[in-house]
Structure formats: structure tokens, C-alpha cells
């Protein structure tokens, strides 16, 4: 069915991203996977292309667009080519909404121009070694000392943490209350050059190998009070507010991955011969691809509706949970079936389907596990 959410400007942007990937990413992508992240100057190239600034207001050097559709296009084109832009997704889809909504005018003037150019890459640090999804149980503290906060603690699974210049660190600035375990959390925008700030291990992952993921540690890191994002003690409220967009971003990349898997499999089975005829000629192959294409179209429809809802300011946390749950489960099924159609070659990393398979597993974990999402949806249903 014909998609109706994109116009000519979107399609021109799509072609620009496709050409950029072909020229700047695809030829060197294997090097990025081996290194565990793109070279630092790649992010400046994205900045020059204008990708980081699409949703940044013009007064700070951006294009002033408000639609999420451009980020959806990037997800689709990266999946189509079997590549990733490293820390791009966290920088734009996770961090930027916080800076735009909760940053002061002074903070926006200080940070957004470098955000747009790629001179300042960002990450967000929520998860701790002992807390996982239980953000209210975090142990990292930030105690006020004059005109600074003194930050102590550790974070893990921080995407973009190796190359980040500023990290949004969620820390406890006051103890929880008896009525509310989530009270007392705040967000500090920490300069990674600060004394006492250290990057621990770059974590070796099953997939997403071109995206750096790190452990971070803070030992008496002094953070100026003017680098507090929003108001003290309202951190959990801010996190919940931005989860809908984060989850839509994951859903979009998951749907795009599934769509790409179908295309990779279709191309492979048409070219590969078994028992003297193309794999595509077997009834099982046709049935599997038909099942996968149908699931992908359903996921695409769900993502498109959710993007329109987000752009209209109407995407609820429960709606975002539904679209992430559905799209990540579709991704898992479709990529697995498409790998099976590749036979033994599907297990070889030089084939993009193998990378898609490895990359897909985490989408049902990060940004809210499938189990957490089901709880949110059930609560919204009143059960």
C-alpha cells in the first residue's frame, strides 16, 4: 500500500542520506565494526550534512523542523544498507529532546551550536550495574557544594559513552521519600573532561558493534550548578516524559531492520540455486517471504501512525509501548526467518543478514524490556 506520510522534501532528504551512506559509510563500515565505533570526525561530517540540526531551532544553528519523519528516514536508509551511524541515534533521538524541552536559554546557547556541528557529541547515563530497569534504585549521588554538585557513582551500558563530550547523568540529589522512591533524582549535563570522570571498559557486545557502549565512573566530579538540566529533583518526571520518543525511535529502527531483512533474503534466494533451481522457486521460500512481508507492512503502518501522533503531540506512553513491543517482536521473527532462508551463509558476518540478526536481539531489552512494556500496556487497559 502507498505510504502517505512523506512529501518531496522528505524524499530529497532520503536520497541525500542514501548517497552519503554509499560514499562515506559502506566502503569503511567493516573498519568501524572492528574498531567498535566510527572515527570521531565522522560525526562532524554528519554535522556538515545537517543531520544533527534538523530538529534544532534556527537561532541555534539548526533547521527548525519539528517532525520525527527525518529520523525515520535515517533509520530506514541505514537498515537498507546494513549499516549504522554509531552514536547518532542517542545523540538525536534521546538527548536532543531533553535539551530542547528542559534546557535553559543559556544552556541552549552554550550547547546546541556544537551539538549541531558534531563538535559536541552526547550520551545519556541512566543504567547502573545493580539497577537495570529500576531507575528509582540508583545509587549515583550528586551533593551540592557551593556553586557545584559533587558527583559520585558508576553507570553501565552507556551507548556513545566512549566518544561523548557531554553526558546527561541521572543522579540522586536528595534521598527518596517514604511515599515516592522516584523522588530526588536530577539530571546533570557533565563535561567528560572533568577531573574524576573516567570511561571504564568499552563493552564487547553481541551486536551493534559499530556503536560504542561503555562503563562510566565518577569520583568527586565537580559539576557547575548551571549545568543542572531543568529543576532539581524532577529527573524521573523528565525521563518518563521522553520515553515515548525514545521507544518510537527503537520501534522505527526495528521495523526498518525487518524490512531490510526481507529485501536481503529476497535478493539472496533469487540468486542462489539449490538442486538445480533458484531457492526462490520453492513453495516454502515463497510462503516465508509472504509472511515476513505482511508482518513488515503491519509494523510500518504502526510506526507511521505513531510518528504522526508524535508530531501532533499525541503519542502516549502506552501507545509508544505498544509500537515498540510489536515492532521489536516482528523484527525478531522476520530477521530470524530471513536468516534461515540464507542457509549457512546467513551465519557468516560478511552477509548483512547476520549483522541484522545480532543487532536485533537488544531491541527487546533496551528502552524498556518487552516485559516492562506489557506491564505499561496492561495498566493502561485498567488491568
Amino acid at each position: 500500500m502507498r505510504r502517505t506520510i512523506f512529501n518531496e522534501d522528505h524524499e530529497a532528504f532520503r536520497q541525500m542520506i542514501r548517497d552519503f551512506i554509499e560514499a562515506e559509510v559502506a566502503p569503511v563500515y567493516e573498519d568501524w565494526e572492528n574498531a567498535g565505533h566510527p572515527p570521531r570526525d565522522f560525526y562532524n561530517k554528519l554535522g556538515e550534512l545537517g543531520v544533527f540540526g534538523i530538529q534544532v531551532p534556527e537561532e541555534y544553528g539548526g533547521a527548525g523542523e519539528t517532525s520525527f519523519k527525518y529520523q525515520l528516514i535515517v533509520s530506514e536508509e541505514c537498515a537498507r544498507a546494513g549499516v549504522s551511524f554509531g552514536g547518532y541515534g542517542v545523540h538525536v533521538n534521546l538527548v536532543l529532546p531533553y535539551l530542547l524541552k528542559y534546557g535553559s536559554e543559556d544552556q541552549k546557547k552554550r550547547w546546541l551550536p556544537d551539538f549541531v556541528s558534531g563538535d559536541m557529541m552526547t550520551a545519556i547515563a541512566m543504567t547502573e550495574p545493580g539497577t537495570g530497569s529500576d531507575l528509582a534504585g540508583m545509587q549515583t549521588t550528586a551533593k551540592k557544594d557551593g556553586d557545584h554538585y559533587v558527583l559520585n557513582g558508576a553507570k553501565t551500558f552507556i551507548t556513545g559513552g566512549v566518544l561523548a563530550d557531554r553526558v546527561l547523568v541521572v543522579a540522586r540529589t536528595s534521598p527518596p521519600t517514604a511515599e515516592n522512591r522516584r523522588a530526588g533524582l536530577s539530571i546533570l549535563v557533565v563535561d567528560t573532561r572533568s577531573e574524576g570522570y573516567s570511561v571504564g571498559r568499552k563493552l564487547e557486545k553481541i551486536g551493534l558493534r559499530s556503536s560504542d557502549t561503555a562503563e562510566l565512573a565518577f569520583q568527586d566530579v565537580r559539576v557547575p550548578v548551571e549545568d543542572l538540566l531543568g529543576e532539581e529533583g524532577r529527573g524521573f518526571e523528565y525521563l518518563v516524559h521522553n520515553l515515548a520518543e525514545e521507544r518510537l525511535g527503537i520501534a522505527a529502527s526495528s521495523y526498518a531492520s525487518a524490512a531490510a531483512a526481507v529485501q536481503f533474503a529476497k535478493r539472496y534466494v533469487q540468486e542462489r540455486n539449490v538442486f538445480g533451481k533458484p531457492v526462490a522457486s520453492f513453495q516454502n521460500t515463497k510462503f516465508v517471504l509472504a509472511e515476513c512481508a505482511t508482518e513488515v507492512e503491519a509494523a510500518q503502518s504502526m510506526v507511521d501512525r505513531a510518528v504522526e501522533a508524535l508530531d501532533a503531540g499525541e503519542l502516549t506512553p502506552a501507545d509508544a509501548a505498544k509500537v515498540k513491543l510489536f515492532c521489536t517482536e516482528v523484527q525478531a521473527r522476520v530477521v530470524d526467518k530471513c536468516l534461515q532462508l540464507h542457509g549457512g551463509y546467513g551465519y557468516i558476518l560478511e552477509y548483512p543478514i547476520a549483522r541484522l540478526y545480532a543487532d536485533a536481539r537488544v531491541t527487546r531489552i533496551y528502552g524498556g524490556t518487552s516485559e516492562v512494556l506489557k506491564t505499561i500496556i496492561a495498566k493502561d487497559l485498567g488491568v
Side-chain angles (χ1 to χ4, degrees):
M1 289 180 280
R2 185 175 67 89
R3 297 177 84 182
T4 58
I5 68 168
F6 297 124
N7 60 30
E8 290 182 2
D9 290 341
H10 296 129
E11 295 307 332
F13 178 78
R14 182 186 299 279
Q15 190 60 53
M16 181 185 74
I17 294 297
R18 189 172 294 184
D19 293 343
F20 177 79
I21 289 172
E22 185 177 336
E24 299 286 347
V25 182
V28 294
Y29 191 67
E30 186 176 345
D31 296 338
W32 295 9
E33 293 235 305
N34 292 334
H37 53 75
R40 182 61 180 80
D41 65 356
F42 168 71
Y43 295 125
N44 292 109
K45 292 180 181 179
L46 283 180
E48 291 169 9
L49 202 64
V51 174
F52 289 148
I54 293 169
Q55 293 176 292
V56 174
E58 293 180 10
E59 59 264 37
Y60 308 116
E65 288 283 348
T66 56
S67 176
F68 187 83
K69 293 173 185 176
Y70 293 94
Q71 312 313 330
L72 175 57
I73 289 169
V74 173
S75 293
E76 290 180 346
E77 290 306 310
C78 283
R80 176 183 177 274
V83 302
S84 159
F85 281 175
Y88 157 86
V90 167
H91 190 61
V92 172
N93 294 337
L94 267 69
V95 174
L96 182 58
Y98 288 97
L99 299 182
L100 291 178
K101 184 165 183 65
Y102 303 114
S104 67
E105 185 61 25
D106 170 69
Q107 289 172 336
K108 291 175 182 177
K109 287 179 178 177
R110 283 194 288 135
W111 296 329
L112 288 179
D114 285 346
F115 181 102
V116 169
S117 69
D119 287 339
M120 182 189 82
M121 290 304 295
T122 59
I124 185 165
M126 292 184 270
T127 307
E128 296 183 0
T131 59
S133 296
D134 180 21
L135 293 179
M138 69 174 56
Q139 301 297 310
T140 297
T141 61
K143 298 179 180 179
K144 193 173 278 187
D145 179 26
D147 58 359
H148 284 75
Y149 289 96
V150 179
L151 182 66
N152 283 283
K155 301 288 184 178
T156 192
F157 306 143
I158 308 307
T159 303
V162 174
L163 296 181
D165 302 290
R166 287 266 179 178
V167 178
L168 276 61
V169 178
V170 185
R172 185 165 288 289
T173 48
S174 61
T177 64
E179 300 78 24
N180 186 5
R181 292 177 63 241
R182 299 164 177 175
L185 298 178
S186 303
I187 302 175
L188 301 176
V189 185
V190 181
D191 187 334
T192 62
R193 297 168 298 180
S194 302
E195 186 176 350
Y197 179 102
S198 61
V199 178
R201 292 184 301 152
K202 181 174 75 66
L203 301 173
E204 294 298 322
K205 309 185 296 293
I206 293 174
L208 298 179
R209 298 189 64 82
S210 65
S211 173
D212 53 303
T213 303
E215 296 174 329
L216 305 179
F218 322 109
Q219 184 173 1
D220 294 330
V221 177
R222 296 185 65 80
V223 182
V225 293
E226 58 263 29
D227 289 349
L228 170 72
L229 192 67
E231 297 178 26
E232 187 175 296
R234 298 183 65 186
F236 193 87
E237 172 191 335
Y238 297 164
L239 295 174
V240 170
H241 182 272
N242 280 290
L243 275 175
E245 184 166 344
E246 176 185 351
R247 287 170 176 160
L248 176 55
I250 296 169
S253 64
S254 298
Y255 135 71
S257 167
V262 172
Q263 294 307 311
F264 291 140
K266 177 183 171 184
R267 192 176 310 143
Y268 179 83
V269 298
Q270 288 174 331
E271 296 171 353
R272 173 75 168 164
N273 286 327
V274 176
F275 304 121
K277 55 184 179 179
V279 175
S281 67
F282 293 92
Q283 186 184 61
N284 179 70
T285 303
K286 295 174 183 179
F287 281 8
V288 169
L289 286 175
E291 293 167 0
C292 291
T294 302
E295 287 214 84
V296 165
E297 186 147 328
Q300 180 191 88
S301 296
M302 220 172 166
V303 166
D304 287 358
R305 283 181 58 204
V307 168
E308 296 278 31
L310 180 72
D311 285 358
E314 298 171 355
L315 185 67
T316 68
D319 289 338
K322 289 174 187 174
V323 70
K324 179 184 184 292
L325 176 64
F326 184 77
C327 290
T328 56
E329 296 290 343
V330 165
Q331 177 192 27
R333 291 192 294 269
V334 168
V335 173
D336 184 73
K337 290 177 181 179
C338 289
L339 187 149
Q340 188 73 14
L341 291 178
H342 282 71
Y345 288 106
Y347 206 65
I348 305 303
L349 282 173
E350 68 184 76
Y351 284 79
I353 192 67
R355 293 200 299 269
L356 287 184
Y357 182 83
D359 292 351
R361 187 59 188 88
V362 75
T363 62
R364 286 173 283 160
I365 298 173
Y366 67 12
T369 65
S370 292
E371 293 74 22
V372 167
L373 299 181
K374 289 174 186 177
T375 302
I376 294 168
I377 296 165
K379 185 177 180 181
D380 185 65
L381 291 172
V383 296

